Amino acid sequence: MKLEEFQAKKLFREHGIPAPEGIMVTSAPDARDASEKIGFPVVVKAQVKTGGRGKAGGVRLAGSPDEAQEAAEAILGMDIKGYTVERLLIDPALRISGEYYIGITVDRKRKIPVMMASASGGMDIEKVAAETPERIIFQPIDPHRGLRGFEAKKLAFRLFSKKKRAMDTSFIMVRLWQCFNDLDATLAEINPLALLEDDSIMALDAKIVLDDNALYRHPRMEDMRLPTPSDQKELGAKSHGLSYVQLDGEIGCMVNGAGLAMATMDVIKHLGGTPANFLDIGGSSSPEKVVHAMDLLVSDPNVRAILINVFGGITRCDDVANGLVQALSGIDLDLPMVVRLTGTNEEEGIRILSERGINALKDMTGAAREAIRLAREGGGAR
Amino acid sequence: MKLEEFQAKKLFREHGIPAPEGIMVTSAPDARDASEKIGFPVVVKAQVKTGGRGKAGGVRLAGSPDEAQEAAEAILGMDIKGYTVERLLIDPALRISGEYYIGITVDRKRKIPVMMASASGGMDIEKVAAETPERIIFQPIDPHRGLRGFEAKKLAFRLFSKKKRAMDTSFIMVRLWQCFNDLDATLAEINPLALLEDDSIMALDAKIVLDDNALYRHPRMEDMRLPTPSDQKELGAKSHGLSYVQLDGEIGCMVNGAGLAMATMDVIKHLGGTPANFLDIGGSSSPEKVVHAMDLLVSDPNVRAILINVFGGITRCDDVANGLVQALSGIDLDLPMVVRLTGTNEEEGIRILSERGINALKDMTGAAREAIRLAREGGGAR
Amino acid sequence: MSILIDGKTRTMVQGLGRDGSFHAGQMLEYGTDLVACIHPGRGGSSFQGIPVFNTAQEAVEETDAECSVVFVPAPFAADAILESANAGVELVVAVTEGIPVLDMSRVVRELDELGTRLVGPNCPGLISPGKSKAGIMPGNIFRQGPVGVISRSGTLTYEVVNQLTLAGHGQSTAIGMGGDPVVGMKYNDFLRLFDRDPETGLVVIVGEIGGSDEQDAADFVSRNFSKPVVGYIVGRSAPPGKRMGHAGAIISGAESTAEAKVGFLRENGIPVADTVEQIVELVSEGLGGRN
Amino acid sequence: MSILIDGKTRTMVQGLGRDGSFHAGQMLEYGTDLVACIHPGRGGSSFQGIPVFNTAQEAVEETDAECSVVFVPAPFAADAILESANAGVELVVAVTEGIPVLDMSRVVRELDELGTRLVGPNCPGLISPGKSKAGIMPGNIFRQGPVGVISRSGTLTYEVVNQLTLAGHGQSTAIGMGGDPVVGMKYNDFLRLFDRDPETGLVVIVGEIGGSDEQDAADFVSRNFSKPVVGYIVGRSAPPGKRMGHAGAIISGAESTAEAKVGFLRENGIPVADTVEQIVELVSEGLGGRN
């Protein structure tokens, strides 16, 4: 679960990490009021769960109430990489004399958290990572012992030679770890970590991604969920035990298992088609799940054919077939559909489906080819 | 810093350990009101920082408001092992079907915390420990990893075979560790941990001792300090950098260093005298410290002679002597005093003191002998 | 031969909930030497003739179990893994899905210190066909033979294995290592064992987007592995920055894309299949007539 | 010879506050091979000609320091000890008083893993007379000779050593191991080293109430120690249940009383002195004319 900047900054401040005390608003008049409360100049910042908002024009400086309102009007409703801006953070604009980077994530290879720090912070940190990786320093973190003061100090003295700056930064680093650990985050990042002209160190931006698997331990974090429309569809799917990601192709896919679902999408693409989505209905495919999954596919106006790909493992193919028949009996389906069933009791499953006039195949590549053909032929009806 | 039962129970409840919701009172009428709020029967329990209060009559059952008030009147002001009862905890009296013990302390030998558990809980746990040590089970706790669920479960299934009882107990054990760790305790103990007739598990008594060295991390714990009169004297001494424990002998001692102070007391006893106190003035003995230390000695009516024993190490004996002279010049001392000075520049130190008419020796045993003699001869004056 | 488990592996199941008891039964049916089950509060009873214990320590003391398959729900699963490892079990297979990543980070570190091997979590487990199954794989699609299979996915493994079996290529051991960001054993850990296993003639690596485990495997194969390897990577059609069900499938850098992986494998001399059907062809070539 | 430190021990000081800088100067004056000081923010400067570093890692990399004496204030002291140990220092002497016991419990565990030795905390350190001093002991009262001294106390050590020196009994190495509930090296760890040190002819153990370290030492001596030992235990006049300044001096059980300790030492053949004067007599007897 990604948090927005204003949420992450609030959590940072709760953990003793200095961050500007801004105000979150959802309208231009509120942006005006907030800017007056804060005092000028202010920064008006789009709250979206993606990077690159600065380059997209989602961050503007404002020196007066009118400028703040204008900036807010310009940014609200803006589309940034598919996210519509619905919220703004009005922050005091501070005098910055240097931009640095610190972040913590879990290193899949080392299998432990790692802190990254760089003296080259700011917007282009990913470019720095790709082009001059030696400018990013790494500190592995023992997950039982946490980031220790001396480890943070060692990193901080590589960013700053002055005692106050280095020690302030090392405290922020330790607190960033505490924040990461306390919240069960998978990412906690400050970019830029700014050196201000008054020699203080402050988090000017904030990014936190929480571990969905650990949210049960942090019930209050659920209140921070601010789903976007596309998030909402995925969350709705999740509540029914489905894992769904919408794309923009023509073949709606329903598959059991994430790996098999990706393989199905790949084979569609391999054969010249385009998958409309990723949809994993999980190990056991109950009729209710299939109904909900079908609703998701049908509600996507781009879908021109449906491909159901089920591998009967523990679940038997005849059970799956019966479930599918039951599920489809309640739906008025106006799209062509191909079902591929294989694994335990596949013959029986295919027979059950054929009796109800459902095209059922044993072979995944063949089924994908058939779905693409049907999408091109009959899909024009919608 | 020892906490009283009502404080420890509050902290337990904050950590999710079930404990009766009692009311702390300081007068008999308040005890009556509290008992009516709670409902009968209630237990009226003396709040003192020592064990054995039950045997001393400091815990009574009351079935009515009159009985509660009578019990409170009887217990308030009672002396239990030198502690005067000033506070009572009024707890609901619960129906108990078994008494168990769990506690955590730091094991000096293993150098890590250890949980102890026993099915033989209740008043005589120390007797159990001494006579049937096999009835106490130990679980060392990795201080980085904490007490894990499976470790607690293993212990809990040795106390209870029924699932609910064992699992409830294992959760309490893990929370007791969290409480111990969060508060930087040196002891956290539940005795008895009671099995109630309704099959629930509850902390009927609670003991927490906090690590004085870690109190700086827990500022709110300072509000829980409830010093007894003798505590107050020791705390006052501490605020001046002195470590003081009052005893009931005749020779007031002032020594630099805890080990040397104990050695001084021992030599007094060895020679047939009785030390009036333990008083460690620390490594450096500034005149102010000596003045405060002298106040402590003089304020003890049992003291009949004073023995000052200073080893000049880093601190030079002549400096110490000058400090002593300065300190003593402001005091109207009506007690005989022996000073023993040795170490760096001892001759010069002894000379300085002799010039002011202060009896100064080089030898510790000789000085102690002289102090005992003076206490017997001249001490009768007070 | 096979790796990690065979017919003699004394196995236990932790957590007799709905899934745990179903799959314990399935394992028994498959021929796994199931010696104990662990379910707090059911100690002293039995499950299909197998003794049930309250704690792993008792189970290991009584039955010398060497392998434990964990079905305990996510909030308690990390503790259950640690329990078995601390009780002396040599191999833990964690089927449970949804364990927090920081929990797993701590678990993996402790298991390394204890010298306990871990497969998973969030994995279908492993099977040495005809000998033993420690997990939830559908036993009927497997056949004993020379192909080792290592996969990050569940149903995709079944798909691949099913095609292999239909084509007459049996398996020595097939493993679903799990798709979470932090898992126990990875490709290289299994490859090291497959290299020494005389039954295994070829290994199929089924990878997916996210991380760089497949690159590490290719690197290992090119330096230290003496047998043919066939690769298959899914997620070529996944858009960057989207989760595809597996937490492991977050595109986090350039090297975690399917294209990067396929390229790296090929550069290291590993043939990569575009479809499942192609895997079978490449395996047939790799085995050169051996089955 | 001597144990743990000698004239060649490359030593550093952590924390140049009031105490740290005073004692760094004293150590230099005594002849300690002080090669580095650590004080964050003062890196690049020098202290009495000794280079100052921001971090222990830099200090060790630049100067190959093997021993660090920690004067850092209590809230940061545990971290400072870990810093030196992780930088590769072999011996850490923690003078700092007032470190929380759980901090020390974590520190000691990690140092064990790293193989770093720890003396203290809350201790005067150690001295090998005429060679090196790593701590705060007054150098002038010590004299080189055959007596090893191990004590839980500070000034009492000086008292004992002073009498020994006056009687002509010099010391090989004298150690104040600290009186906190959790300390690094204990009697037995030092005894093991003294046993192998040819210069040491006899060891004086200065103990006090609390814990059972003295019993452990007596047990060790009776089994594994080849040289004469003299004991001295203070706190016989301490009432049960009262703190006597040292956190270590809490009477927690029957075996932690002075009487129990004295009795146990004597049962194990160790003569125990009643007064400091008696220590000197027993040492003279034990050395049998050797000095």
Side-chain angles (χ1 to χ4, degrees), chain C residues 118-140:
Chain C
L118 173 68
V119 176
N122 189 13
C123 81
L126 68 164
I127 185 168
S128 293
K131 297 166 184 166
S132 187
K133 178 172 94 159
I136 61 169
M137 287 162 163
N140 58 309

mmCIF file of all heavy atoms in Angstrom, chain C residues 118-140:
data_model
loop_
_atom_site.group_PDB
_atom_site.id
_atom_site.type_symbol
_atom_site.label_atom_id
_atom_site.label_comp_id
_atom_site.label_asym_id
_atom_site.label_seq_id
_atom_site.Cartn_x
_atom_site.Cartn_y
_atom_site.Cartn_z
ATOM 1 N N LEU C 118 15.276 -23.749 4.074
ATOM 2 C CA LEU C 118 13.885 -23.292 3.971
ATOM 3 C C LEU C 118 13.484 -23.227 2.509
ATOM 4 O O LEU C 118 14.196 -22.644 1.681
ATOM 5 C CB LEU C 118 13.751 -21.901 4.599
ATOM 6 C CG LEU C 118 12.402 -21.199 4.423
ATOM 7 C CD1 LEU C 118 11.299 -21.917 5.199
ATOM 8 C CD2 LEU C 118 12.483 -19.737 4.880
ATOM 9 N N VAL C 119 12.331 -23.824 2.177
ATOM 10 C CA VAL C 119 11.719 -23.631 0.856
ATOM 11 C C VAL C 119 10.458 -22.816 1.095
ATOM 12 O O VAL C 119 9.640 -23.149 1.949
ATOM 13 C CB VAL C 119 11.386 -24.974 0.180
ATOM 14 C CG1 VAL C 119 10.670 -24.737 -1.147
ATOM 15 C CG2 VAL C 119 12.654 -25.792 -0.042
ATOM 16 N N GLY C 120 10.291 -21.733 0.334
ATOM 17 C CA GLY C 120 9.142 -20.853 0.493
ATOM 18 C C GLY C 120 9.524 -19.632 1.291
ATOM 19 O O GLY C 120 10.724 -19.349 1.422
ATOM 20 N N PRO C 121 8.556 -18.906 1.806
ATOM 21 C CA PRO C 121 7.129 -19.226 1.915
ATOM 22 C C PRO C 121 6.364 -18.908 0.632
ATOM 23 O O PRO C 121 6.971 -18.561 -0.368
ATOM 24 C CB PRO C 121 6.670 -18.281 3.024
ATOM 25 C CG PRO C 121 7.497 -17.058 2.814
ATOM 26 C CD PRO C 121 8.841 -17.561 2.360
ATOM 27 N N ASN C 122 5.023 -19.042 0.738
ATOM 28 C CA ASN C 122 4.125 -18.755 -0.379
ATOM 29 C C ASN C 122 4.530 -19.613 -1.569
ATOM 30 O O ASN C 122 4.790 -19.102 -2.651
ATOM 31 C CB ASN C 122 4.176 -17.262 -0.719
ATOM 32 C CG ASN C 122 3.103 -16.870 -1.709
ATOM 33 O OD1 ASN C 122 2.171 -17.622 -1.967
ATOM 34 N ND2 ASN C 122 3.246 -15.688 -2.291
ATOM 35 N N CYS C 123 4.630 -20.897 -1.345
ATOM 36 C CA CYS C 123 5.115 -21.801 -2.379
ATOM 37 C C CYS C 123 4.330 -23.107 -2.346
ATOM 38 O O CYS C 123 3.718 -23.433 -1.336
ATOM 39 C CB CYS C 123 6.604 -22.088 -2.159
ATOM 40 S SG CYS C 123 6.913 -23.339 -0.905
ATOM 41 N N PRO C 124 4.341 -23.836 -3.465
ATOM 42 C CA PRO C 124 3.645 -25.132 -3.479
ATOM 43 C C PRO C 124 4.476 -26.257 -2.887
ATOM 44 O O PRO C 124 4.012 -27.400 -2.832
ATOM 45 C CB PRO C 124 3.395 -25.363 -4.966
ATOM 46 C CG PRO C 124 4.493 -24.624 -5.651
ATOM 47 C CD PRO C 124 4.825 -23.443 -4.789
ATOM 48 N N GLY C 125 5.703 -25.967 -2.471
ATOM 49 C CA GLY C 125 6.536 -27.010 -1.879
ATOM 50 C C GLY C 125 7.331 -27.773 -2.916
ATOM 51 O O GLY C 125 7.641 -27.239 -3.983
ATOM 52 N N LEU C 126 7.666 -29.008 -2.592
ATOM 53 C CA LEU C 126 8.476 -29.777 -3.535
ATOM 54 C C LEU C 126 8.029 -31.230 -3.547
ATOM 55 O O LEU C 126 7.349 -31.701 -2.630
ATOM 56 C CB LEU C 126 9.966 -29.664 -3.216
ATOM 57 C CG LEU C 126 10.505 -30.293 -1.940
ATOM 58 C CD1 LEU C 126 12.033 -30.413 -2.027
ATOM 59 C CD2 LEU C 126 10.159 -29.458 -0.735
ATOM 60 N N ILE C 127 8.417 -31.903 -4.605
ATOM 61 C CA ILE C 127 8.028 -33.293 -4.786
ATOM 62 C C ILE C 127 9.169 -34.037 -5.469
ATOM 63 O O ILE C 127 9.800 -33.501 -6.386
ATOM 64 C CB ILE C 127 6.713 -33.375 -5.602
ATOM 65 C CG1 ILE C 127 6.212 -34.818 -5.713
ATOM 66 C CG2 ILE C 127 6.885 -32.776 -6.996
ATOM 67 C CD1 ILE C 127 4.783 -34.906 -6.259
ATOM 68 N N SER C 128 9.458 -35.235 -4.972
ATOM 69 C CA SER C 128 10.369 -36.130 -5.673
ATOM 70 C C SER C 128 9.479 -37.273 -6.159
ATOM 71 O O SER C 128 9.130 -38.173 -5.383
ATOM 72 C CB SER C 128 11.465 -36.642 -4.727
ATOM 73 O OG SER C 128 12.314 -35.581 -4.346
ATOM 74 N N PRO C 129 9.051 -37.224 -7.438
ATOM 75 C CA PRO C 129 7.966 -38.108 -7.891
ATOM 76 C C PRO C 129 8.239 -39.573 -7.578
ATOM 77 O O PRO C 129 9.359 -40.072 -7.721
ATOM 78 C CB PRO C 129 7.904 -37.849 -9.391
ATOM 79 C CG PRO C 129 8.387 -36.438 -9.540
ATOM 80 C CD PRO C 129 9.470 -36.302 -8.508
ATOM 81 N N GLY C 130 7.192 -40.235 -7.137
ATOM 82 C CA GLY C 130 7.271 -41.650 -6.798
ATOM 83 C C GLY C 130 7.882 -41.902 -5.435
ATOM 84 O O GLY C 130 7.922 -43.042 -4.976
ATOM 85 N N LYS C 131 8.379 -40.842 -4.779
ATOM 86 C CA LYS C 131 9.054 -41.030 -3.491
ATOM 87 C C LYS C 131 8.339 -40.257 -2.378
ATOM 88 O O LYS C 131 7.822 -40.862 -1.441
ATOM 89 C CB LYS C 131 10.501 -40.550 -3.584
ATOM 90 C CG LYS C 131 11.322 -41.355 -4.593
ATOM 91 C CD LYS C 131 12.610 -40.640 -4.902
ATOM 92 C CE LYS C 131 13.404 -41.371 -5.981
ATOM 93 N NZ LYS C 131 14.476 -40.528 -6.512
ATOM 94 N N SER C 132 8.317 -38.946 -2.495
ATOM 95 C CA SER C 132 7.763 -38.161 -1.399
ATOM 96 C C SER C 132 7.305 -36.803 -1.901
ATOM 97 O O SER C 132 7.841 -36.263 -2.872
ATOM 98 C CB SER C 132 8.820 -37.957 -0.312
ATOM 99 O OG SER C 132 8.254 -37.344 0.822
ATOM 100 N N LYS C 133 6.312 -36.274 -1.198
ATOM 101 C CA LYS C 133 5.808 -34.950 -1.521
ATOM 102 C C LYS C 133 5.761 -34.140 -0.247
ATOM 103 O O LYS C 133 5.245 -34.613 0.768
ATOM 104 C CB LYS C 133 4.408 -35.085 -2.123
ATOM 105 C CG LYS C 133 3.751 -33.770 -2.469
ATOM 106 C CD LYS C 133 2.463 -33.969 -3.240
ATOM 107 C CE LYS C 133 1.279 -33.977 -2.304
ATOM 108 N NZ LYS C 133 0.003 -33.665 -2.995
ATOM 109 N N ALA C 134 6.337 -32.934 -0.275
ATOM 110 C CA ALA C 134 6.291 -32.050 0.890
ATOM 111 C C ALA C 134 5.698 -30.745 0.402
ATOM 112 O O ALA C 134 6.415 -29.813 0.059
ATOM 113 C CB ALA C 134 7.682 -31.849 1.475
ATOM 114 N N GLY C 135 4.365 -30.700 0.329
ATOM 115 C CA GLY C 135 3.716 -29.512 -0.185
ATOM 116 C C GLY C 135 2.355 -29.839 -0.738
ATOM 117 O O GLY C 135 1.740 -30.823 -0.323
ATOM 118 N N ILE C 136 1.915 -29.018 -1.667
ATOM 119 C CA ILE C 136 0.519 -29.103 -2.116
ATOM 120 C C ILE C 136 0.406 -29.425 -3.594
ATOM 121 O O ILE C 136 -0.639 -29.222 -4.203
ATOM 122 C CB ILE C 136 -0.207 -27.773 -1.835
ATOM 123 C CG1 ILE C 136 0.464 -26.608 -2.586
ATOM 124 C CG2 ILE C 136 -0.218 -27.476 -0.339
ATOM 125 C CD1 ILE C 136 -0.350 -25.328 -2.560
ATOM 126 N N MET C 137 1.486 -29.886 -4.213
ATOM 127 C CA MET C 137 1.417 -30.136 -5.647
ATOM 128 C C MET C 137 0.499 -31.319 -5.948
ATOM 129 O O MET C 137 0.442 -32.272 -5.180
ATOM 130 C CB MET C 137 2.811 -30.459 -6.162
ATOM 131 C CG MET C 137 3.689 -29.210 -6.198
ATOM 132 S SD MET C 137 5.415 -29.696 -6.284
ATOM 133 C CE MET C 137 6.179 -28.178 -6.813
ATOM 134 N N PRO C 138 -0.211 -31.272 -7.078
ATOM 135 C CA PRO C 138 -1.072 -32.400 -7.439
ATOM 136 C C PRO C 138 -0.205 -33.580 -7.880
ATOM 137 O O PRO C 138 0.352 -33.558 -8.988
ATOM 138 C CB PRO C 138 -1.917 -31.854 -8.588
ATOM 139 C CG PRO C 138 -1.122 -30.723 -9.148
ATOM 140 C CD PRO C 138 -0.283 -30.179 -8.048
ATOM 141 N N GLY C 139 -0.117 -34.569 -7.052
ATOM 142 C CA GLY C 139 0.815 -35.675 -7.265
ATOM 143 C C GLY C 139 0.631 -36.388 -8.600
ATOM 144 O O GLY C 139 1.609 -36.834 -9.224
ATOM 145 N N ASN C 140 -0.629 -36.456 -9.085
ATOM 146 C CA ASN C 140 -0.912 -37.286 -10.249
ATOM 147 C C ASN C 140 -0.247 -36.818 -11.546
ATOM 148 O O ASN C 140 -0.089 -37.603 -12.475
ATOM 149 C CB ASN C 140 -2.424 -37.379 -10.447
ATOM 150 C CG ASN C 140 -3.047 -36.005 -10.630
ATOM 151 O OD1 ASN C 140 -2.820 -35.089 -9.846
ATOM 152 N ND2 ASN C 140 -3.782 -35.826 -11.705
#
